[in-house]
Amino acid sequence: SSKKEMVYRRCSLMPTKKLRFFSVLSPEYAFEMSSSTIRFGRGVTKEIGADMVNMGYRDNICVVTDKKLVNMKQFRSVADCLSKAGVAFEVFDDVSVEPTDYSLQAAADYCKKKQFKAFIAIGGGSVMDTAKAANAYMCNPEYDFLDFVNAPIGKGMPIPSPLKTLIAVPTTAGTGSETTGVSIFDHLQTGAKTGIRDRALRPTMAIIDPDHTDSCSPELTAFSGLDVLCHALESFTAVPYWQRCTGAPSSPLLRPAYQGSNPIAEIWSAYALQQCATYLRRAVEHNDPVAREQMCLAATAAGVGFGNAGVHLCHAMSYPISSLVRDYRPSSGYEHSSKPAIVPHGLSVILTAPSVFKWTCSADPDRHLRAAALLGANVNNVKPADAGLLLADTIQSLLSHWTAFVPDGLGALGYGSADIERLVKGTLPQKKVIDVAPRQPSVEDFQW
């Protein structure tokens, strides 16, 4: 078939020094759409107590948060509504900002001993990802930690047993973790950032309450919003699902969560891009409550988009950028992190984005041009060959408004030419996300 021929050409006509070769026996012929139930509205957190009762949970609930949030109004709003509903719960707040394999295993061990009936995660991506992993390992105690972790670091096995109910309550407008089957962490032995990607991890319900983001600093709001932007851009420009190099799975259970772009995910990603164009600067620069509310919607929409299509090269490169940093810390917003150096995730993805989209543009110029238009760029009389440059310029124009806290490139994070080999080495294991890039890069492409 013509589709099969196109997949074969995409996967086989690579220069000899590419990352890997693919043998595609059967091209992908289907995509699937899945997401958490989403409930949105200011003050909607107050309904969680009733939700627990309606689901039949009145005791032995684990509320996952972190040591900063446990003393803040966001956590108290959850605790108060549970108490008023007569729901007994325990708090697990030993969550690491940017989780590690050790911190996730500690959470899983705690939960295995307690055998909780349900989970509530109140926090940012680190909290929600910790709750997802703890839920998975508590429900599958006979499996080793690396069994579910993405290859090549882990075995990449599907999660076999149904998990417990998890309600996710994000406190930032960024990660989209409240809707995705992804849990990301630093693997300390290898120094690589990896994760677990499985639809079983998806929270049962996402409670999107814009009240929880009102206390975010401009820097945190910007970095979270830039994560939304990259989620939407990468999923919108991902390889079409039927051209994915991994081909059709041998079983529906093995169809990857990151499938490639598809008509349904595209709707969510396009909406998120429009929201970012309209509201991101207003949320950061003016603390506009309407803009904050709309960026919460954008984050969730982008989560649904990339949760079903995938992210690609910005995220693949962001993981070593975050895990190998030596001494950079943002000026504010991350004081509660015990790590001596930290690169906020949204910052780690956006710094490579201009170069990424200039490079990927040749795979689908029209789609890159549409992405630039959704972000508000004037695309009149722009040649398709220049779409990547226009998209890159649109991103850099946004960043130019925030030079006070957005560093100018990797050099400003402390990286130099001597670090390139290590950064590339940390990127190569990110197979799950590289697979859905619209172009398949070589080692030399990453070094460029």
Side-chain angles (χ1 to χ4, degrees), residues 307-342:
N308 289 279
V311 288
H312 53 82
L313 299 182
C314 299
H315 273 74
M317 290 186 282
S318 78
Y319 298 141
I321 290 171
S322 295
S323 60
L324 298 175
V325 67
R326 291 180 288 269
D327 54 17
Y328 176 81
R329 289 183 69 90
S331 57
S332 70
Y334 295 82
E335 295 83 1
H336 61 297
S337 172
S338 61
K339 295 185 176 182
I342 186 170

mmCIF file of all heavy atoms in Angstrom, residues 307-342:
data_model
loop_
_atom_site.group_PDB
_atom_site.id
_atom_site.type_symbol
_atom_site.label_atom_id
_atom_site.label_comp_id
_atom_site.label_asym_id
_atom_site.label_seq_id
_atom_site.Cartn_x
_atom_site.Cartn_y
_atom_site.Cartn_z
ATOM 1 N N GLY A 307 -0.671 13.689 25.334
ATOM 2 C CA GLY A 307 -0.874 12.382 25.947
ATOM 3 C C GLY A 307 -1.327 11.333 24.966
ATOM 4 O O GLY A 307 -1.191 10.132 25.214
ATOM 5 N N ASN A 308 -1.855 11.776 23.816
ATOM 6 C CA ASN A 308 -2.317 10.847 22.789
ATOM 7 C C ASN A 308 -1.520 10.922 21.488
ATOM 8 O O ASN A 308 -1.668 10.056 20.632
ATOM 9 C CB ASN A 308 -3.790 11.103 22.483
ATOM 10 C CG ASN A 308 -4.693 10.665 23.617
ATOM 11 O OD1 ASN A 308 -5.013 9.493 23.744
ATOM 12 N ND2 ASN A 308 -5.090 11.606 24.477
ATOM 13 N N ALA A 309 -0.697 11.945 21.340
ATOM 14 C CA ALA A 309 0.146 12.066 20.152
ATOM 15 C C ALA A 309 1.619 11.920 20.503
ATOM 16 O O ALA A 309 2.369 11.225 19.825
ATOM 17 C CB ALA A 309 -0.098 13.412 19.463
ATOM 18 N N GLY A 310 2.034 12.576 21.589
ATOM 19 C CA GLY A 310 3.426 12.494 22.018
ATOM 20 C C GLY A 310 4.133 13.821 21.905
ATOM 21 O O GLY A 310 3.702 14.739 21.195
ATOM 22 N N VAL A 311 5.216 13.931 22.612
ATOM 23 C CA VAL A 311 6.172 15.023 22.425
ATOM 24 C C VAL A 311 7.408 14.419 21.765
ATOM 25 O O VAL A 311 7.552 13.208 21.695
ATOM 26 C CB VAL A 311 6.540 15.683 23.768
ATOM 27 C CG1 VAL A 311 5.388 16.504 24.303
ATOM 28 C CG2 VAL A 311 6.976 14.647 24.805
ATOM 29 N N HIS A 312 8.296 15.275 21.264
ATOM 30 C CA HIS A 312 9.443 14.681 20.568
ATOM 31 C C HIS A 312 10.772 15.328 20.957
ATOM 32 O O HIS A 312 11.198 15.184 22.107
ATOM 33 C CB HIS A 312 9.214 14.601 19.055
ATOM 34 C CG HIS A 312 8.827 15.873 18.363
ATOM 35 N ND1 HIS A 312 9.739 16.818 17.973
ATOM 36 C CD2 HIS A 312 7.609 16.339 17.948
ATOM 37 C CE1 HIS A 312 9.130 17.812 17.336
ATOM 38 N NE2 HIS A 312 7.824 17.550 17.319
ATOM 39 N N LEU A 313 11.440 16.040 20.082
ATOM 40 C CA LEU A 313 12.855 16.329 20.281
ATOM 41 C C LEU A 313 13.134 17.360 21.372
ATOM 42 O O LEU A 313 14.152 17.261 22.069
ATOM 43 C CB LEU A 313 13.483 16.769 18.958
ATOM 44 C CG LEU A 313 13.411 15.712 17.840
ATOM 45 C CD1 LEU A 313 14.102 16.233 16.584
ATOM 46 C CD2 LEU A 313 14.041 14.400 18.284
ATOM 47 N N CYS A 314 12.279 18.363 21.546
ATOM 48 C CA CYS A 314 12.515 19.321 22.641
ATOM 49 C C CYS A 314 12.545 18.583 23.970
ATOM 50 O O CYS A 314 13.406 18.841 24.827
ATOM 51 C CB CYS A 314 11.427 20.387 22.660
ATOM 52 S SG CYS A 314 11.301 21.385 21.170
ATOM 53 N N HIS A 315 11.616 17.667 24.156
ATOM 54 C CA HIS A 315 11.575 16.924 25.408
ATOM 55 C C HIS A 315 12.698 15.899 25.490
ATOM 56 O O HIS A 315 13.265 15.690 26.565
ATOM 57 C CB HIS A 315 10.212 16.248 25.574
ATOM 58 C CG HIS A 315 9.203 17.139 26.227
ATOM 59 N ND1 HIS A 315 8.613 18.204 25.564
ATOM 60 C CD2 HIS A 315 8.688 17.143 27.486
ATOM 61 C CE1 HIS A 315 7.783 18.821 26.393
ATOM 62 N NE2 HIS A 315 7.815 18.209 27.559
ATOM 63 N N ALA A 316 13.035 15.268 24.374
ATOM 64 C CA ALA A 316 14.138 14.299 24.404
ATOM 65 C C ALA A 316 15.424 14.954 24.879
ATOM 66 O O ALA A 316 16.168 14.397 25.702
ATOM 67 C CB ALA A 316 14.336 13.697 23.010
ATOM 68 N N MET A 317 15.698 16.160 24.401
ATOM 69 C CA MET A 317 16.925 16.859 24.792
ATOM 70 C C MET A 317 16.812 17.521 26.157
ATOM 71 O O MET A 317 17.815 17.773 26.827
ATOM 72 C CB MET A 317 17.297 17.881 23.724
ATOM 73 C CG MET A 317 17.780 17.242 22.432
ATOM 74 S SD MET A 317 18.389 18.425 21.206
ATOM 75 C CE MET A 317 16.853 19.041 20.553
ATOM 76 N N SER A 318 15.584 17.810 26.575
ATOM 77 C CA SER A 318 15.415 18.502 27.854
ATOM 78 C C SER A 318 15.832 17.639 29.040
ATOM 79 O O SER A 318 16.278 18.162 30.073
ATOM 80 C CB SER A 318 13.953 18.920 28.039
ATOM 81 O OG SER A 318 13.138 17.820 28.437
ATOM 82 N N TYR A 319 15.698 16.329 28.902
ATOM 83 C CA TYR A 319 15.949 15.462 30.054
ATOM 84 C C TYR A 319 17.409 15.506 30.505
ATOM 85 O O TYR A 319 17.688 15.704 31.696
ATOM 86 C CB TYR A 319 15.483 14.041 29.749
ATOM 87 C CG TYR A 319 13.987 13.960 29.484
ATOM 88 C CD1 TYR A 319 13.462 13.139 28.497
ATOM 89 C CD2 TYR A 319 13.088 14.735 30.204
ATOM 90 C CE1 TYR A 319 12.098 13.080 28.252
ATOM 91 C CE2 TYR A 319 11.726 14.689 29.964
ATOM 92 C CZ TYR A 319 11.231 13.851 28.989
ATOM 93 O OH TYR A 319 9.888 13.795 28.751
ATOM 94 N N PRO A 320 18.390 15.365 29.607
ATOM 95 C CA PRO A 320 19.773 15.538 30.084
ATOM 96 C C PRO A 320 20.104 16.975 30.466
ATOM 97 O O PRO A 320 20.942 17.208 31.352
ATOM 98 C CB PRO A 320 20.628 15.062 28.900
ATOM 99 C CG PRO A 320 19.734 15.172 27.713
ATOM 100 C CD PRO A 320 18.352 14.868 28.222
ATOM 101 N N ILE A 321 19.466 17.952 29.832
ATOM 102 C CA ILE A 321 19.698 19.343 30.223
ATOM 103 C C ILE A 321 19.334 19.529 31.697
ATOM 104 O O ILE A 321 20.043 20.212 32.448
ATOM 105 C CB ILE A 321 18.877 20.295 29.332
ATOM 106 C CG1 ILE A 321 19.426 20.309 27.912
ATOM 107 C CG2 ILE A 321 18.861 21.717 29.911
ATOM 108 C CD1 ILE A 321 18.558 21.053 26.908
ATOM 109 N N SER A 322 18.235 18.914 32.124
ATOM 110 C CA SER A 322 17.806 19.028 33.518
ATOM 111 C C SER A 322 18.663 18.193 34.458
ATOM 112 O O SER A 322 19.010 18.631 35.560
ATOM 113 C CB SER A 322 16.345 18.596 33.649
ATOM 114 O OG SER A 322 15.492 19.474 32.957
ATOM 115 N N SER A 323 18.996 16.983 34.040
ATOM 116 C CA SER A 323 19.643 16.059 34.972
ATOM 117 C C SER A 323 21.147 16.285 35.113
ATOM 118 O O SER A 323 21.740 15.899 36.121
ATOM 119 C CB SER A 323 19.389 14.607 34.539
ATOM 120 O OG SER A 323 19.891 14.358 33.248
ATOM 121 N N LEU A 324 21.791 16.928 34.135
ATOM 122 C CA LEU A 324 23.242 17.107 34.172
ATOM 123 C C LEU A 324 23.679 18.500 34.612
ATOM 124 O O LEU A 324 24.872 18.766 34.718
ATOM 125 C CB LEU A 324 23.837 16.810 32.786
ATOM 126 C CG LEU A 324 23.647 15.377 32.270
ATOM 127 C CD1 LEU A 324 24.172 15.245 30.840
ATOM 128 C CD2 LEU A 324 24.333 14.372 33.177
ATOM 129 N N VAL A 325 22.737 19.384 34.886
ATOM 130 C CA VAL A 325 23.096 20.754 35.255
ATOM 131 C C VAL A 325 23.904 20.766 36.542
ATOM 132 O O VAL A 325 23.671 19.978 37.457
ATOM 133 C CB VAL A 325 21.827 21.626 35.393
ATOM 134 C CG1 VAL A 325 20.976 21.190 36.571
ATOM 135 C CG2 VAL A 325 22.177 23.102 35.486
ATOM 136 N N ARG A 326 24.878 21.676 36.609
ATOM 137 C CA ARG A 326 25.798 21.683 37.751
ATOM 138 C C ARG A 326 25.479 22.754 38.797
ATOM 139 O O ARG A 326 25.557 22.492 39.994
ATOM 140 C CB ARG A 326 27.231 21.874 37.240
ATOM 141 C CG ARG A 326 27.766 20.689 36.459
ATOM 142 C CD ARG A 326 29.185 20.942 35.993
ATOM 143 N NE ARG A 326 29.249 21.928 34.926
ATOM 144 C CZ ARG A 326 29.192 21.625 33.625
ATOM 145 N NH1 ARG A 326 29.057 20.364 33.244
ATOM 146 N NH2 ARG A 326 29.249 22.575 32.711
ATOM 147 N N ASP A 327 25.148 23.969 38.344
ATOM 148 C CA ASP A 327 25.021 25.032 39.341
ATOM 149 C C ASP A 327 23.936 26.058 39.059
ATOM 150 O O ASP A 327 23.828 27.053 39.765
ATOM 151 C CB ASP A 327 26.366 25.761 39.521
ATOM 152 C CG ASP A 327 26.930 26.277 38.207
ATOM 153 O OD1 ASP A 327 26.165 26.369 37.222
ATOM 154 O OD2 ASP A 327 28.134 26.565 38.151
ATOM 155 N N TYR A 328 23.117 25.854 38.053
ATOM 156 C CA TYR A 328 22.080 26.842 37.743
ATOM 157 C C TYR A 328 20.868 26.658 38.647
ATOM 158 O O TYR A 328 20.428 25.544 38.914
ATOM 159 C CB TYR A 328 21.638 26.723 36.281
ATOM 160 C CG TYR A 328 20.492 27.658 35.946
ATOM 161 C CD1 TYR A 328 20.721 28.994 35.660
ATOM 162 C CD2 TYR A 328 19.173 27.199 35.967
ATOM 163 C CE1 TYR A 328 19.674 29.860 35.380
ATOM 164 C CE2 TYR A 328 18.109 28.058 35.688
ATOM 165 C CZ TYR A 328 18.376 29.387 35.407
ATOM 166 O OH TYR A 328 17.336 30.234 35.145
ATOM 167 N N ARG A 329 20.318 27.766 39.108
ATOM 168 C CA ARG A 329 19.032 27.788 39.806
ATOM 169 C C ARG A 329 18.273 29.035 39.359
ATOM 170 O O ARG A 329 18.867 30.114 39.227
ATOM 171 C CB ARG A 329 19.197 27.837 41.334
ATOM 172 C CG ARG A 329 19.702 26.561 41.969
ATOM 173 C CD ARG A 329 19.750 26.696 43.484
ATOM 174 N NE ARG A 329 18.415 26.766 44.056
ATOM 175 C CZ ARG A 329 17.725 25.698 44.452
ATOM 176 N NH1 ARG A 329 18.243 24.491 44.325
ATOM 177 N NH2 ARG A 329 16.515 25.825 44.965
ATOM 178 N N PRO A 330 16.965 28.925 39.137
ATOM 179 C CA PRO A 330 16.184 30.117 38.796
ATOM 180 C C PRO A 330 16.138 31.080 39.967
ATOM 181 O O PRO A 330 16.349 30.693 41.124
ATOM 182 C CB PRO A 330 14.805 29.558 38.472
ATOM 183 C CG PRO A 330 14.746 28.237 39.149
ATOM 184 C CD PRO A 330 16.148 27.708 39.183
ATOM 185 N N SER A 331 15.854 32.337 39.672
ATOM 186 C CA SER A 331 15.912 33.366 40.709
ATOM 187 C C SER A 331 14.826 33.202 41.758
ATOM 188 O O SER A 331 14.997 33.596 42.911
ATOM 189 C CB SER A 331 15.810 34.753 40.065
ATOM 190 O OG SER A 331 14.611 34.866 39.292
ATOM 191 N N SER A 332 13.680 32.635 41.390
ATOM 192 C CA SER A 332 12.623 32.436 42.380
ATOM 193 C C SER A 332 11.689 31.324 41.919
ATOM 194 O O SER A 332 11.715 30.907 40.760
ATOM 195 C CB SER A 332 11.816 33.731 42.586
ATOM 196 O OG SER A 332 11.037 34.033 41.448
ATOM 197 N N GLY A 333 10.863 30.851 42.857
ATOM 198 C CA GLY A 333 9.861 29.855 42.535
ATOM 199 C C GLY A 333 10.252 28.434 42.869
ATOM 200 O O GLY A 333 9.407 27.533 42.853
ATOM 201 N N TYR A 334 11.543 28.205 43.180
ATOM 202 C CA TYR A 334 11.999 26.836 43.437
ATOM 203 C C TYR A 334 12.820 26.756 44.724
ATOM 204 O O TYR A 334 13.680 25.901 44.887
ATOM 205 C CB TYR A 334 12.822 26.319 42.239
ATOM 206 C CG TYR A 334 11.973 26.188 41.000
ATOM 207 C CD1 TYR A 334 11.715 27.301 40.197
ATOM 208 C CD2 TYR A 334 11.398 24.977 40.642
ATOM 209 C CE1 TYR A 334 10.905 27.204 39.068
ATOM 210 C CE2 TYR A 334 10.593 24.870 39.518
ATOM 211 C CZ TYR A 334 10.352 25.986 38.739
ATOM 212 O OH TYR A 334 9.559 25.881 37.634
ATOM 213 N N GLU A 335 12.512 27.648 45.652
ATOM 214 C CA GLU A 335 13.279 27.696 46.896
ATOM 215 C C GLU A 335 13.128 26.411 47.713
ATOM 216 O O GLU A 335 14.000 26.062 48.504
ATOM 217 C CB GLU A 335 12.835 28.892 47.745
ATOM 218 C CG GLU A 335 13.132 30.254 47.128
ATOM 219 C CD GLU A 335 12.078 30.697 46.114
ATOM 220 O OE1 GLU A 335 11.105 29.941 45.906
ATOM 221 O OE2 GLU A 335 12.240 31.784 45.540
ATOM 222 N N HIS A 336 11.992 25.712 47.555
ATOM 223 C CA HIS A 336 11.752 24.517 48.365
ATOM 224 C C HIS A 336 12.484 23.287 47.855
ATOM 225 O O HIS A 336 12.472 22.250 48.507
ATOM 226 C CB HIS A 336 10.256 24.218 48.423
ATOM 227 C CG HIS A 336 9.624 23.940 47.091
ATOM 228 N ND1 HIS A 336 9.568 24.883 46.088
ATOM 229 C CD2 HIS A 336 9.023 22.823 46.597
ATOM 230 C CE1 HIS A 336 8.954 24.366 45.025
ATOM 231 N NE2 HIS A 336 8.621 23.129 45.308
ATOM 232 N N SER A 337 13.147 23.401 46.702
ATOM 233 C CA SER A 337 13.902 22.266 46.185
ATOM 234 C C SER A 337 15.205 22.120 46.952
ATOM 235 O O SER A 337 15.940 23.088 47.153
ATOM 236 C CB SER A 337 14.201 22.458 44.692
ATOM 237 O OG SER A 337 15.085 21.456 44.229
ATOM 238 N N SER A 338 15.505 20.905 47.354
ATOM 239 C CA SER A 338 16.745 20.647 48.086
ATOM 240 C C SER A 338 17.931 20.421 47.160
ATOM 241 O O SER A 338 19.071 20.291 47.626
ATOM 242 C CB SER A 338 16.561 19.409 48.982
ATOM 243 O OG SER A 338 16.267 18.261 48.194
ATOM 244 N N LYS A 339 17.689 20.377 45.868
ATOM 245 C CA LYS A 339 18.768 20.135 44.922
ATOM 246 C C LYS A 339 19.643 21.377 44.776
ATOM 247 O O LYS A 339 19.138 22.498 44.714
ATOM 248 C CB LYS A 339 18.199 19.724 43.569
ATOM 249 C CG LYS A 339 17.463 18.389 43.605
ATOM 250 C CD LYS A 339 17.020 17.967 42.212
ATOM 251 C CE LYS A 339 16.375 16.589 42.253
ATOM 252 N NZ LYS A 339 15.974 16.115 40.909
ATOM 253 N N PRO A 340 20.967 21.192 44.710
ATOM 254 C CA PRO A 340 21.859 22.353 44.580
ATOM 255 C C PRO A 340 21.718 23.073 43.257
ATOM 256 O O PRO A 340 22.020 24.257 43.143
ATOM 257 C CB PRO A 340 23.262 21.739 44.720
ATOM 258 C CG PRO A 340 23.085 20.296 44.342
ATOM 259 C CD PRO A 340 21.710 19.914 44.792
ATOM 260 N N ALA A 341 21.278 22.351 42.221
ATOM 261 C CA ALA A 341 21.075 22.954 40.911
ATOM 262 C C ALA A 341 19.786 22.387 40.320
ATOM 263 O O ALA A 341 19.485 21.206 40.495
ATOM 264 C CB ALA A 341 22.261 22.658 39.995
ATOM 265 N N ILE A 342 19.043 23.221 39.637
ATOM 266 C CA ILE A 342 17.788 22.768 39.049
ATOM 267 C C ILE A 342 17.440 23.627 37.841
ATOM 268 O O ILE A 342 17.586 24.855 37.872
ATOM 269 C CB ILE A 342 16.640 22.790 40.077
ATOM 270 C CG1 ILE A 342 15.370 22.169 39.491
ATOM 271 C CG2 ILE A 342 16.375 24.197 40.599
ATOM 272 C CD1 ILE A 342 14.286 21.941 40.527
#
